[in-house]
Amino acid sequence: MSPSALPVLPLPFAAPPLQTRARHMHLILPYAAMPSDSCQHVLQNLALPQLDQLLAMLDPAHADEGTEDHPIPPHERAVARAWGLNPDAPAWAAVAQPEALPAPSAWMTLCHWSAGADQVRMDDPASLPITREDAHALHAVLQPWFAEDGMQLQVVDPGRWLVTGAPLQDLPTASLDRVLLRDVSSWLPHSSHSRMLHRLHSEVQMLLYNHAFNAQRAQRGLPPINAFWLHGAGPLNPDDLQAAHTLQKVTPILLVDSLRQAALRQDWPAWKAAWLAADAGPIGQVLAHVQLGGTATVTLCGERHARSYTSTRRNWLGKIKNKFSPQRFAGLHQAL
């Protein structure tokens, strides 16, 4: 599947809808800028008047310095901080549950790995049609293998399952955004307690290679499922879970996912269109909120870094400085 045809991917967390009457809003803009020449070309002529007005009313706050090989992308780290989670290992699977789980947990996404001459690439998981009946049939195949290592599988969505078990304790996992359409070997954990996961990957691939499950999929004209990806791992005690759920409610987050979708496709015309739509829509909403006396935080995220800007009480010198030298997105995106 070509990047331009990449379907929408589910986020590993559920961001509540924007509440226009909230006292404080947090706007997160993932993949606001990318280092590719194509993206930089679009940025040269990208006019975002609402965003510029909003940034001019805010002051620099948190700066998140990262790298392209960090397993968690900046926008996920930003949401994790807002909800009181560890930004370097956010427990998305645990926080998605209404009650604390008895063991560490992770999301498990079913996928297909394509072997090339010098890499093994993860194809888009959304290109694998799978019904709930298919999922339960595959669950019956895989559960015994995971149970041998003390893990339990639960079908939440057909293509995304919940995994629980002690081996997930302190297991580093990379976000799906990092692995999609890339060489998986660069993102597999390399710590000593990850040997179990490497073995499971190999066993599942061998198990499913000629399995009747995939033979039946082939008869239906469907691509095989030959791999899985664990992400959003981590323990969460009851107190932390309650705190995260409370912060979800009191910290309204608006995450502009259309930017993320277009960037993952490397569809730069669509990415520009997503920016213009965001400027006219949610960014304009937050701007109106601030103009009416509300407060807000804006977090601009790239592939490596993130920069947050927030409402503060400015003294007269700060007001004068901003009037003559306002912050603009054109002067900030290079820092992402």
Side-chain angles (χ1 to χ4, degrees), residues 111-317:
C111 53
H112 179 268
W113 290 1
S114 297
D118 56 356
Q119 67 173 358
V120 177
R121 191 188 79 153
M122 178 190 288
D123 296 335
D124 169 40
S127 68
L128 289 173
I130 179 169
T131 65
R132 189 162 290 275
E133 291 74 17
D134 291 336
H136 285 290
L138 186 57
H139 179 277
V141 174
L142 297 182
Q143 176 58 72
W145 292 82
F146 281 78
E148 290 183 2
D149 288 297
M151 290 183 285
Q152 297 297 313
L153 305 178
Q154 176 187 339
V155 177
V156 177
D157 298 313
R160 184 169 67 165
W161 303 357
L162 179 69
V163 189
T164 55
L168 299 173
Q169 180 78 30
D170 299 324
L171 179 70
T173 57
S175 167
L176 268 179
D177 279 12
R178 292 303 207 195
V179 192
L180 186 72
L181 301 179
R182 296 179 177 179
D183 183 6
V184 300
S185 63
S186 302
W187 301 101
L188 286 167
H190 298 291
S191 55
S192 58
H193 67 284
S194 303
R195 294 172 184 167
M196 172 273 301
L197 182 58
H198 286 257
R199 175 178 50 78
L200 261 179
H201 275 298
S202 297
E203 290 175 348
V204 167
Q205 285 184 292
M206 290 187 291
L207 173 67
L208 296 180
Y209 182 69
N210 286 319
H211 198 277
F213 174 82
N214 275 325
Q216 292 171 1
R217 285 181 65 84
Q219 291 174 0
R220 292 151 56 193
L222 299 177
I225 296 172
N226 65 2
F228 64 90
W229 192 259
L230 296 186
H231 54 106
L236 205 62
N237 64 47
D239 291 339
D240 290 342
L241 178 67
Q242 183 60 44
H245 285 171
T246 299
L247 286 169
Q248 282 182 331
K249 296 176 182 178
V250 302
T251 308
I253 289 178
L254 178 59
L255 189 143
V256 183
D257 193 45
S258 54
L259 284 172
R260 169 180 168 271
Q261 295 167 21
L264 290 174
R265 297 186 192 104
Q266 298 182 41
D267 186 342
W268 302 116
W271 183 78
K272 179 179 180 180
W275 252 128
L276 296 176
D279 195 59
I283 293 172
Q285 287 180 266
V286 177
L287 172 61
H289 171 77
V290 174
Q291 289 173 330
L292 290 173
T295 60
T297 297
V298 174
T299 301
L300 301 167
C301 307
E303 272 206 304
R304 299 164 296 170
H305 316 309
R307 296 290 185 270
S308 292
Y309 303 85
T310 195
S311 302
T312 60
R313 291 187 176 182
R314 289 175 171 167
N315 57 29
W316 64 271
L317 183 60

Side-chain angles (χ1 to χ4, degrees), residues 77-93:
R77 301 199 299 262
V79 176
R81 287 191 181 89
W83 291 349
L85 304 175
N86 179 356
D88 294 320
W92 297 129

